[in-house]
Structure formats: C-alpha cells, structure tokens
Amino acid sequence: MDQTSAPLQPRKPGFREDVQGLRAVAVLTVIAAHAGVAFFPGGYVGVDVFFVISGFLITQLLVTEASRSGRVSLSGFYARRARRILPAASVVLVATVAASVLWMSVLEAIDLAKDALWSAVFAANVRFAQQGVDYFSAEAAPSPLQHYWSLAVEEQFYLVWPLLVGAVVWVVARRRTTEGRSSRVLRALVVTIAVIGSASFVWSLVRTGAEPQSAYFSTFTRAWELAVGAGVALAVHAGRTLRHRRGAEVLVWGGLAAILAACLAFDETLAFPGYAAALPVLGTAAVLYAGAHADVTTSAGRLLSVRPMRVVGDWSYSLYLWHWPLLIVPPTALGRDLRPLEVVLLVALAFELAYLTHRFVEQPFRTRRISARPRRALILYPVFLGLVGSTAGAGWAWSDYRVSEHGDTPAITTSQFGITDDGPEALVQASVLAAQSRQATPSDLTPDLVDLEDDLADVGDCLYEGGTAWELCPQGDDNGDKTLVVIGDSHARAWIPAFDQIAARSGYRAFYLVKAQCSAALVDPSEAFTGDPWPECEEFHRWSEEQIGELDPELVVMTSSAPITGLYSEGRRLRSMDDIAGELGVGLADMFRAYAPLTERLVMLVDVPRLSLEPGVCLSTFGSDLGDCALPPDATGARMRDLTVDVATDAGIEVIDPETWFCADGLCPTVVGSTIAYRDRGHITSTRAAELAEPLGTALGIW
C-alpha cells in the first residue's frame, strides 16, 4: 500500500481512568459551588473542564475512526450520542417538569415547561442567554433546568464538529499529492481548529466585556474551549506526547493547580468566560496532555484513577443532571433558603439518583443490542422529543388551566366593607381588609396572571438601551402647546400609561427620558448584572439634561428606585445601605439643583413601596389567598423612600407620595379590586398605572 493511500496510524486512544477522575473533579466542583460551599465560589468552572474533555474525547473518537476506515460514519456517531445523552436527559427533564407541577407555583411551572421544550431541542442556552439580558428578569429565581445550557452547547458541538471532520477527510481524500493522507488530514484539522478556536476566543473576549449575561451561555463564546480539547486530541493522535515522567508530573500538577485556583479565586461577580476561562481550560488541557503517553503514569494520574474518583466520573453525567433541580425546586416550593443540613441531604439524594440513573438508564441503552444499531438508536431522538414535549405540554396545559379565569370569585369592592369613599385609597383599604379576612383571590384578574410579566409600558422606539445615539419620542397630545418630561429608570417607565392619559387630556406633549436601572439621581450605579462601572448611565444623565434644556418644559417629573445593588463613588463600589444612602442623598440634591433651572415646575414622584415577595408567584401558588399575598413594605425600600422625601423637602421640591394608592394599615395588597398592582417586587403593572391617571393628574394639579 503506497503512502498516499495508507491509513493514518494513530496512537491507540484506549480508556483513560484519569479522564474519568477528571470528570469527577469537574462535577464535584460544580456541585460544591451550587451547594454554596463558601470557599469554592468558582466551582462553576467545572463546566469548562467538561467542555475541554468533550472536545478531546469526541475528536479522538472521530479521528481514530477516520484513520481506520478513511471516512466518518455520521449515523454511527449520532447514534452513539443518542444512546449516551438522551435517556438520562429525558428522565431528569420529565421528573423536573412533574415536580414543578406538584410543588412550584403555576407561573413557575409554566416557565419551566417552556424551559423543558427549549432543552429538548438542545437550545436551552439560547433561551437563558435571552433571559440573561432582560433587566426585568434579573430578580427571578433561576430555572431548575438552567444547567441544561451546557448540554445544549455540547450537543451543538456534536452536531457540527463531525460534519467538519468528515468534510476535511473527504476533501483530503479527493486530492492526489505525494504527501501522505495522514499528515494532510491532521494539518487540515489543526488549521480548522485553530481558525474556529481563535475566532471563538476573540468573540468571547468581546461579548463578555459587552454583555456578560448572554456571553456566559453562548456557544460561540465557548467553542474555543472545546477546540482546545480537540487540539490536545490531535497532538496525542500524532504521537506528540510527553515521554519523560518529570515533565509530565510538572504539567499535570500545574494543570490541577490551575483548576483549583479558578475554583478558589473566581466568584459570581467575575465576567465570564472571557479571558478568565483560559485558566481552567488550559489547566484541563494540561492534565489531558500529561497523561496521554501509555508508558508514563504520573502521581496525579494515579490519584485521579482511584476507584472512588472513577465511580463518580462514571456517574458524572447523571449527577450533573440531577443536582441542580434538587437544589432549586425545594427552596422555591418552601419559599425560603435551604438550611445546611437540607443541602447535604439533597446532595446525597443527587448521588443516589445518579447511581440509579447510571445503572438502570444510561448503561442499558449503551450496552443492549436493541439500541446498538445506528438506525434503531437514532429513533431515540424523536422518541425523546415526543416524551419531553408531551410531558411539558401537559404540564403547561394543566398549569394554565389552574391559573385561568374559570371561577366566580368576585372582585373586591368598597361597598362590601361599608366604605363609602370612592377614591383610590378607599379601594386599597378594602383590598387590605379582604386580605386580612383571608378572602379568595378574584377570578377575573387584570392583567391575567399568565400575561403578568409582559405587562410593561410601551416606550416605542425610545427604549434607550445601549449606545449613545438616542432620540426623542414625543407622546401625549401631538398638538399640545405645553411640554411634560418624565425622567428616571424602569420605575418611571411603569408610570407611562398614567402620564399618557394626563398629557393627552391636558394638552401636553410628553417625553419619557427613562432608562432601565439608571436612577434619576445624579449617581453612578453599578451595572445590574456584573457590578462593573456603568458609564452609559452618566452619559444618559448628560444627554437628558441637554434635552430638557432644549425642550424648555413646563413640567418635569422625576421618579426612580434606589440603586440598592450598588453604586460607584470616586472609583470605589459602594455596597452597604449606609454608604449607598449617603451617596444617593448627594445625588438627589445634585439632580434637583441641575434640573430646577430648566423647567417652570419640578416634581418628585416618590418611588412606590417595594414588596418582599414576587406577586405572580404568590398569586399562582396552589391554595394561596389574598392574605398570603399582602405583606408590609420592604424595609430597605422604605428607608430609601424616606431619604428621597427628606432630600426633596429640604431642596424645596414638590413631592407626591403614591404610597396610599398601594398600601394601607402597613400592608400592601398584591391585588387591588381585581387588578394586580405589581408585576414584580418593585415595578407596578401598566394596568394599575393607567387606573391611577386621575389621582396622579389631580395630585399634579393638572386635572
């Protein structure tokens, strides 16, 4: 056989016990971080360890097959992946959907059913990336299926990478040269990996800096990690391994130290993946490479190969699938954080379920003849989709039925409590009395519970997200001869339905200079998701001041929440409430001085009281009544409201406090009449805002 047609002679890949031990390291670090082990905050890098291992093993498998047969069997590859991935994934998905229907609120169960459908088509990372950049979802509890994002990234890799390897092998086979096919295939694959990996790494740096929330879940920002593993596989396949024990020892221990350092030094505030991911990724690559030579066994390799580590490595896939829903569903159902002993018991349960799933689900599908043939195994994909889809659909339909308006419980009225006043305060008072008497929630709620998260005020083309190319969007009375400007953050946006009515009825052109998370006070809030400095807010403050100066409005109304997630002062991030309160007071005073000369009249609309619970979750929890969903205002929010009133009063600024339109006798009912007053803990619904147009217009002296 001549050189050009001779098959590639690879090193025998074989089964590596140290790789199973490395899988154990990966899953144990992830569980430690998710379980709240204080000294292991960066354990989430275990996912990156998994990515490198996957890139290494899959590439090794594909290149070995191409070397032996001169081709890549796509059906065989996808059949093996189906047997390996789908059975356990479907069991955990179905179990988690069932648990959500039994123990979580209706809205949470509906959201989880949606998550399950995205997970079933291996696009969970896309869904969670979209949610990651949604400011209004920032306070929502994580999904019990959020960990499926990493499975989606791997499956997308499994879909594309075999096609690329097969294409390279096919192209090389068609070219006739004097150079051996083996070297041409390897060189072509190295170039392919280098291009993909380099592009992905650069993109990871760019996106992690710009949008770390979505970058975390992105396949494009993670592809380079899989490419690193693939590169190690090609080096090993070419026989370029370490042949001296001393060098291997240094490399393997250095790799493990890098992974450990990331686990200890990183935390959830770090923008990730970006450049930081290089530490655990290269560390994993070092461990894989150091243990690649058949005749060189390192002390670390022996440690990773001990039976307990191998067993945990065998269970690692099922363990990863089970641990997260077990740590998320119970506290959501209980409405409180887990106690340390409860966490330990749930982690122990995850190990037990992982053992059972590995033995009775994973192993049978990987070894039985019925699924050994590619065509039979590929049937698992439609079966998987049908099983998960039908379960998620049934859970969604049942949850939707439970929350739908099919009862006959009437709305709360003032007359049922003998209250003769017909003002907005009176209906709030009646709603508090209804809650105190433990009345059932009205059947005909507005907005509907399933639509609650979408009950946002429309700002048209003036969302003011990103960049600085902002424009004005006039609303209200197009022919009005007076101008009204509302400035603030997302809490100001919530009032737009009321201001729209006021402006249209009173002959005002209205301009809403509102930007989510950017307080009206002249302070520098930290970026909501990362805690980093956020110069865009300062730019928006300057732009807003310029626009107000040019508009010369008759009335400017300011309202916003306090930046309780932190703000910056002289380059230092302030986190404590005392520090934030002090800086906020200065920022409010600066704001009043800046805007007062630019308008005939300046009014401070105090922020609404903040709730201590999620209204949608409370109202959609099975068995809850109005009393369960009416609580005292949040203490931190009350402190910041008092601060706003004090600073405005000292500055001689008009103050309108809407508290009595939402709370009475120390309680804030989630439902007022039949209207859901809040869409989350701090934002009022657009529906409630529209109902308050008249009292707000009256308080402003316009109506």
Side-chain angles (χ1 to χ4, degrees):
M1 185 175 295
D2 63 46
Q3 187 182 23
T4 59
S5 61
L8 201 65
Q9 297 297 326
R11 295 177 54 80
K12 293 181 179 180
F15 175 80
R16 284 179 52 178
E17 294 181 337
D18 64 320
V19 173
Q20 287 301 91
L22 192 56
R23 288 183 192 269
V25 170
V27 76
L28 292 175
T29 58
V30 170
I31 293 174
H34 290 166
V37 177
F39 60 85
F40 233 61
Y44 56 80
V45 302
V47 173
D48 305 272
V49 175
F50 274 128
F51 285 156
V52 180
I53 294 174
S54 293
F56 173 77
L57 294 177
I58 295 304
T59 302
Q60 190 177 60
L61 185 152
L62 291 170
V63 176
T64 299
E65 180 183 4
S67 301
R68 291 172 177 170
S69 64
R71 57 188 292 272
V72 172
S73 172
L74 295 179
S75 62
F77 176 84
Y78 294 133
R80 288 190 296 270
R81 289 299 90 200
R83 294 198 306 269
R84 176 72 177 92
I85 299 296
L86 298 182
S90 61
V91 167
V92 176
L93 280 174
V94 169
T96 306
V97 170
S100 73
V101 172
L102 292 174
W103 294 309
M104 298 174 71
S105 74
V106 174
L107 292 188
E108 289 169 326
I110 291 175
D111 280 342
L112 189 129
K114 297 176 184 178
D115 295 341
L117 293 174
W118 282 85
S119 299
V121 295
F122 302 113
N125 62 323
V126 177
R127 173 167 172 79
F128 297 127
Q130 292 172 345
Q131 293 179 332
V133 296
D134 182 1
Y135 173 75
F136 294 99
S137 298
E139 294 186 354
S143 167
L145 296 178
Q146 184 168 290
H147 63 317
Y148 270 73
W149 76 268
S150 61
L151 186 61
V153 170
E154 289 200 359
E155 286 301 308
Q156 291 158 21
F157 169 75
Y158 297 156
L159 177 65
V160 174
W161 185 231
L163 296 174
L164 288 176
V165 173
V168 168
V169 173
W170 182 80
V171 169
V172 168
R174 290 175 61 87
R175 295 180 59 187
R176 295 184 177 274
T177 67
T178 58
E179 185 181 11
R181 187 184 65 190
S182 60
S183 58
R184 286 186 286 138
V185 168
L186 281 176
R187 187 165 60 249
L189 288 176
V190 168
V191 171
T192 302
I193 289 173
V195 171
I196 294 174
S198 299
S200 171
F201 183 69
V202 171
W203 184 246
S204 179
L205 297 180
V206 172
R207 295 310 297 165
T208 302
E211 285 189 356
Q213 305 85 3
S214 61
Y216 186 86
F217 299 107
S218 172
T219 301
F220 301 109
T221 63
R222 299 285 187 163
W224 69 274
E225 302 180 19
L226 292 139
V228 168
V232 174
L234 293 180
V236 172
H237 188 88
R240 299 180 181 277
T241 56
L242 294 176
R243 302 175 184 273
H244 301 287
R245 186 181 306 277
R246 182 175 299 176
E249 288 281 2
V250 171
L251 191 62
V252 71
W253 283 111
L256 290 175
I259 297 172
L260 178 62
C263 293
L264 297 175
F266 295 177
D267 59 30
E268 61 183 9
T269 65
L270 177 68
F272 202 84
Y275 68 89
L279 185 61
V281 167
L282 295 180
T284 305
V287 176
L288 293 172
Y289 186 65
H293 197 284
D295 297 327
V296 176
T297 302
T298 63
S299 56
R302 289 193 296 271
L303 181 63
L304 291 172
S305 301
V306 297
R307 178 169 174 76
M309 295 295 285
R310 295 200 317 269
V311 169
V312 174
D314 291 341
W315 300 352
S316 61
Y317 177 54
S318 290
L319 191 54
Y320 179 77
L321 292 178
W322 279 115
H323 87 282
W324 182 249
L326 285 173
L327 291 174
I328 295 299
V329 173
T332 302
L334 293 171
R336 61 170 175 80
D337 293 335
L338 294 173
R339 300 184 179 96
L341 179 59
E342 292 170 333
V343 173
V344 171
L345 293 175
L346 288 170
V347 170
L349 178 59
F351 274 86
E352 181 64 27
L353 291 174
Y355 159 72
L356 294 173
T357 306
H358 178 261
R359 179 173 179 179
F360 297 109
V361 179
E362 287 191 68
Q363 287 298 96
F365 276 94
R366 296 175 66 181
T367 58
R368 287 180 182 174
R369 289 185 178 182
I370 190 173
S371 59
R373 295 182 181 179
R375 290 184 179 179
R376 291 180 179 178
L378 289 174
I379 296 176
L380 288 174
Y381 281 105
V383 171
F384 168 72
L385 288 174
L387 177 62
V388 176
S390 60
T391 303
W396 190 342
W398 172 240
S399 299
D400 191 62
Y401 172 78
R402 285 171 57 189
V403 80
S404 61
E405 299 173 353
H406 51 78
D408 56 2
T409 305
I412 305 163
T413 62
T414 54
S415 60
Q416 71 184 103
F417 295 100
I419 300 174
T420 57
D421 189 2
D422 59 356
E425 296 87 351
L427 187 56
V428 172
Q429 181 69 54
S431 299
V432 168
L433 293 173
Q436 291 173 332
S437 60
R438 313 294 300 193
Q439 288 190 15
T441 303
S443 301
D444 187 12
L445 291 174
T446 306
D448 192 274
L449 266 174
V450 295
D451 300 322
L452 181 60
E453 66 179 21
D454 298 321
D455 197 57
L456 283 166
D458 183 17
V459 291
D461 295 329
C462 289
L463 191 57
Y464 301 132
E465 285 188 345
T468 56
W470 300 310
E471 298 179 355
L472 293 174
C473 298
Q475 293 181 237
D477 187 348
D478 293 337
N479 300 314
D481 57 357
K482 295 174 289 187
T483 300
L484 162 68
V485 175
V486 178
I487 62 174
D489 57 8
S490 57
H491 290 232
R493 173 181 175 176
W495 283 102
I496 286 177
F499 283 111
D500 272 344
Q501 294 184 48
I502 293 170
R505 180 172 164 180
S506 305
Y508 280 87
R509 289 190 309 151
F511 297 88
Y512 305 124
L513 307 185
V514 297
K515 181 176 177 63
Q517 200 230 332
C518 186
S519 172
L522 299 184
V523 293
D524 296 325
S526 57
E527 205 278 333
F529 298 96
T530 66
D532 294 335
W534 194 36
E536 187 178 307
C537 182
E538 184 179 359
E539 290 289 335
F540 188 73
H541 284 155
R542 284 196 288 266
W543 180 80
S544 297
E545 186 174 346
E546 292 172 1
Q547 303 312 306
I548 294 173
E550 294 176 5
L551 290 169
D552 190 24
E554 281 76 15
L555 174 62
V556 172
V557 180
M558 300 170 294
T559 184
S560 65
S561 64
I564 58 176
T565 58
L567 50 80
Y568 279 84
S569 176
E570 298 179 351
R572 183 172 65 94
R573 188 183 182 193
L574 307 180
R575 300 294 301 275
S576 73
M577 286 301 103
D578 289 339
D579 289 342
I580 289 175
E583 189 69 16
L584 181 62
V586 174
L588 287 168
D590 290 343
M591 174 186 67
F592 295 141
R593 282 193 294 270
Y595 291 132
L598 305 178
T599 179
E600 294 180 9
R601 185 180 174 208
L602 190 61
V603 176
M604 186 71 215
L605 176 60
V606 182
D607 192 23
V608 297
R610 179 180 171 82
L611 302 181
S612 57
L613 48 72
E614 285 291 337
V617 171
C618 182
L619 292 171
S620 64
T621 298
F622 185 73
S624 67
D625 57 37
L626 292 174
D628 296 313
C629 304
L631 293 175
D634 173 74
T636 299
R639 177 183 177 184
M640 296 302 174
R641 280 171 31 82
D642 291 342
L643 172 67
T644 301
V645 172
D646 291 342
V647 176
T649 301
D650 291 343
I653 303 298
E654 293 183 55
V655 175
I656 296 175
D657 189 346
E659 180 175 10
T660 57
W661 302 339
F662 294 91
C663 309
D665 298 332
L667 287 177
C668 303
T670 302
V671 176
V672 176
S674 62
T675 298
I676 303 176
Y678 288 78
R679 68 177 302 278
D680 57 27
R681 296 183 185 186
H683 297 89
I684 63 175
T685 61
S686 293
T687 305
R688 181 58 178 161
E691 293 176 348
L692 295 173
E694 184 167 349
L696 179 58
T698 301
L700 288 169
I702 295 177
W703 288 1

